[in-house]
Amino acid sequence: MPELPEVETTLRGIRPHLEGRRIARLIVRNPRLRQPIPPEMPERVAGQTIRSLRRRSKYLLIGLEHGSLLVHLGMSGSLRVVTAGSPPRTHDHLDLILSDGGILRFHDPRRFGIFLWISMSPEIALVEHPLLCRLGPEPLENDFTGEHLYRSSRSRRVAVKSFIMDSAVVVGVGNIYASESLFLAGLHPARACNRIDQGGYERLAETIRLVLRASIEQGGTTLRDFVNESGAPGYFAQSLRVYGRAGESCRICGTLIRQQKIGQRSSFHCPHCQPQAIDAGSAAFFDEE
């Protein structure tokens, strides 16, 4: 699934090819996405100039002269910029054709993505659209702090990994990034979130930023893939410390990495580097795999 760094990399890859360009027309080959594309949408966007592009969580907002395009890549979606005449592949559901001949092509084999015109400007959509208005802070912005995590966790008893994956708490911390951030912070993923002190959350906020920034920087090396006519965008290889490494040695201490289910998601940790506190507040509702 594309996560925040992949979406940010997508934004950086397509922005130079879209910003300031005029939309000539929209071709919809298959309208049956997570939210079906309405038949009037091509007429709504044709002739409009693209004024801005921005990311909120894993959503992309493409600001137009009138309204915006709201895009989510879902489970398997991707965006590429191709040249006029490039033949569509299977699962290329939509082409946004620009007046200079460029094409923004939306590819989504599982069709869980979103590509919709909304009547709101990006600024209004951020505070009023139901998919955006309840989202927590961006992890790379100044309002995301250890103090925010500490305050938000006081009345909660869920495992800290589930807590930081809650988009109402902070956006963009997916399963991989949660496991990696907790490892760097030295926190067991099943620890009850209300049993972690502010110092622990200060470390965790910093490691979340560190992991996401490093992933975005790695993603920058694949920007050329967003204008490659022959292949899908190449999401970058992760330099993973614990995720997906069950049974392998910890890169720090040599202890074998363990895999557990927390909140129905596979989780990975080092028992030595991330000891589980033995107290009444531990969230012991996970199963070893």
Side-chain angles (χ1 to χ4, degrees):
M1 177 189 296
E3 296 288 357
L4 185 149
E6 288 87 353
V7 179
E8 179 66 25
T9 301
T10 297
L11 172 64
R12 296 180 185 187
I14 66 175
R15 177 183 273 146
H17 305 278
L18 270 67
E19 205 161 45
R21 307 303 202 278
R22 185 173 63 83
I23 300 171
R25 60 190 176 120
L26 174 68
I27 296 176
V28 180
R29 299 185 188 86
N30 187 348
R32 298 187 303 275
L33 301 179
R34 188 199 317 177
Q35 295 190 20
I37 298 174
E40 67 273 14
M41 183 169 147
E43 184 178 352
R44 297 270 193 189
V45 304
Q48 293 211 52
T49 297
I50 297 173
R51 289 186 163 178
S52 65
L53 292 92
R54 66 179 298 170
R55 178 190 57 76
R56 180 67 171 108
S57 182
K58 294 192 288 184
Y59 292 92
L60 292 175
L61 275 168
I62 303 175
L64 308 177
E65 295 171 283
H66 306 287
S68 309
L69 291 170
L70 179 65
V71 182
H72 193 284
L73 300 180
M75 299 288 290
S76 59
S78 62
L79 292 168
R80 290 187 302 142
V81 176
V82 300
T83 56
S86 300
R89 302 168 299 161
T90 304
H91 309 304
D92 283 348
H93 302 310
L94 181 151
D95 280 359
L96 192 69
I97 301 177
L98 307 175
S99 57
D100 65 359
I103 300 171
L104 179 68
R105 181 161 285 170
F106 182 69
H107 179 85
D108 189 4
R110 299 184 68 177
R111 291 190 285 114
F112 286 164
I114 294 172
F115 203 112
L116 289 177
W117 178 83
I118 58 175
S119 60
M120 306 173 188
S121 69
E123 294 75 20
I124 294 175
L126 289 173
V127 295
E128 294 188 6
H129 194 280
L131 292 175
L132 303 174
C133 64
R134 297 180 182 86
L135 294 172
E138 290 283 335
L140 302 180
E141 299 294 335
N142 291 335
D143 55 346
F144 174 65
T145 62
E147 182 181 2
H148 162 73
L149 291 176
Y150 178 74
R151 289 199 316 269
S152 302
S153 66
R154 294 306 87 189
S155 60
R156 307 277 300 272
R157 294 189 61 190
V158 298
V160 63
K161 180 168 178 281
S162 299
F163 174 67
I164 62 173
M165 290 179 64
D166 182 349
S167 62
V169 174
V170 57
V171 301
V173 184
N175 198 33
I176 293 174
Y177 303 110
S179 289
E180 295 293 298
S181 300
L182 287 163
F183 171 76
L184 289 177
L187 295 171
H188 194 288
R191 184 82 189 273
C193 65
N194 63 351
R195 292 293 179 137
I196 296 172
D197 62 18
Q198 186 165 341
Y201 278 121
E202 295 290 350
R203 295 196 311 274
L204 182 55
E206 184 57 36
T207 60
I208 288 172
R209 285 190 289 266
L210 178 68
V211 167
L212 291 175
R213 282 178 180 145
S215 296
I216 290 168
E217 288 172 7
Q218 287 179 289
T221 64
T222 68
L223 290 180
R224 64 185 181 277
D225 293 328
F226 292 94
V227 289
N228 182 343
E229 298 175 12
S230 61
Y235 294 138
F236 48 88
Q238 304 287 329
S239 300
L240 301 176
R241 298 168 177 86
V242 290
Y243 187 87
R245 300 189 62 243
E248 298 179 33
S249 298
C250 174
R251 303 188 196 279
I252 303 298
C253 70
T255 304
L256 296 184
I257 301 298
R258 291 184 184 174
Q259 180 176 358
Q260 300 171 313
K261 276 284 182 66
I262 299 176
Q264 306 304 310
R265 305 294 297 273
S266 291
S267 302
F268 301 84
H269 74 279
C270 170
H272 180 266
C273 297
Q274 299 166 267
Q276 182 177 7
I278 307 300
D279 61 37
S282 296
F285 44 81
F286 57 87
D287 300 316
E288 290 246 356
E289 291 184 328

